[in-house]
Amino acid sequence: MLIWFDALTAKQARIASVLALEGMGRGYGFIITCRSYDYVINVLKMYGINGYCEGEHGDDVKSKLINGLSRSLKLIDVVNGFNVHVSLTSPDAFRVAFGLGKPSIALTDTVHAFHVNKLTLPLANSVIAPIAIPKRRLMAYIPHGEEGKVKFFNGVFEVMWVYRFKPNWGEVEQLGLRNGDQYVIFRFEESKAAYYNYGEQSRIAVKAIKFLLKEGFKVVVFPRYDDQRELVISKFSSELRNGRVVMPSKPIDGLQLAYYSNLVITGGSTFAVEAALLGVPSISYFPSTYYTDRYVIKAGAPLIRVKPSRLVSSIRKAMGMGKVGLIKGLEDPTELILNEANMLAN
């Protein structure tokens, strides 16, 4: 059996890597494709996985459409011979798999991503989602009579790599941080995603970083886009020079960095969930609802969800939570996904 996984983000690259490593142990073959975006290829390399990187993200709806269609055409020859396609709702991959008459498995935990869900979930032969996702919200994308193709698991996708994680201080040391340094990680928001229409958050980011510096922390900053990177350079040039603000110029395992940090702040959800599952206090300032955040909070993870306007005021509260150790007992969906792929391929 040959499984094709299309990874469009760093999170998806981690899912693909775990599936490939576990699946190859079963004798399954894998084709991993990716997009030139946000550390994706670096995550695959970190796991020792070879990926074929093709295409890039767009800045607006027209460029996203053009880039996606162009990428789909190029992928047709790259993935020749696959039996089943798996992705976290990649429109580019779903177009190819559906057009070639191959089965697809959609992994999803973002019911707010209306555009990609509307396009991909109706075409999926199987849909796998965390139980935290309200059934009514997910079923809104599923054609009548096909409700049985949806399968829930009692965990989150991040469990797949967090439960396999082994700390290594040497990874963090590459950034010039010393053992005992008090530092916070700040990850910018996904401002160019199709679902992100909440306005400019850069003012909030600058305010939060300044507050952290005033409190005596070093801040490791991860921009997602060039404009965010330029903002950091323009606002914190002296801090970048003296090492109080660190903006990594080479790939580093964010999970290692989070494990040894005092706090993780992100404009998305994944990084906060990863860190919180490791027991590290985390803040997500994504403006909309993330059902998986509520789920891990209920499981005992030290995660805070706030609106961007309340980010700075929530930092001291998060610091007061302290580290609590690994959050155990959540379901790892790896076996479910591989078994579903095997069933569809045969």
Side-chain angles (χ1 to χ4, degrees), residues 131-132 154-156 159 163 273 276-279 291-303 321 324-331:
I131 200 170
N154 194 15
V156 290
V159 166
Y163 280 13
V273 169
L277 288 175
L278 288 171
Y291 296 102
T292 50
D293 288 352
R294 294 179 181 176
Y295 174 86
V296 298
I297 291 170
K298 189 175 180 180
L303 172 62
M321 299 171 78
V324 300
L326 182 68
I327 306 301
K328 301 178 181 179
L330 304 184
E331 182 181 354

Side-chain angles (χ1 to χ4, degrees), residues 38-39 187-188 221-236 240 247-250:
D38 193 42
Y39 310 107
R187 175 76 156 139
F188 276 81
V221 182
F222 286 94
R224 295 177 192 261
Y225 299 104
D226 289 341
D227 59 329
Q228 294 169 342
R229 184 176 298 275
E230 290 165 5
L231 175 70
V232 174
I233 294 171
S234 66
K235 296 292 184 180
F236 301 102
L240 284 165
M247 188 162 55
S249 59
K250 57 183 179 180

Side-chain angles (χ1 to χ4, degrees), residues 283-296:
I283 301 174
S284 169
Y285 67 95
F286 183 72
S288 188
T289 299
Y290 259 120
Y291 296 102
T292 50
D293 288 352
R294 294 179 181 176
Y295 174 86
V296 298

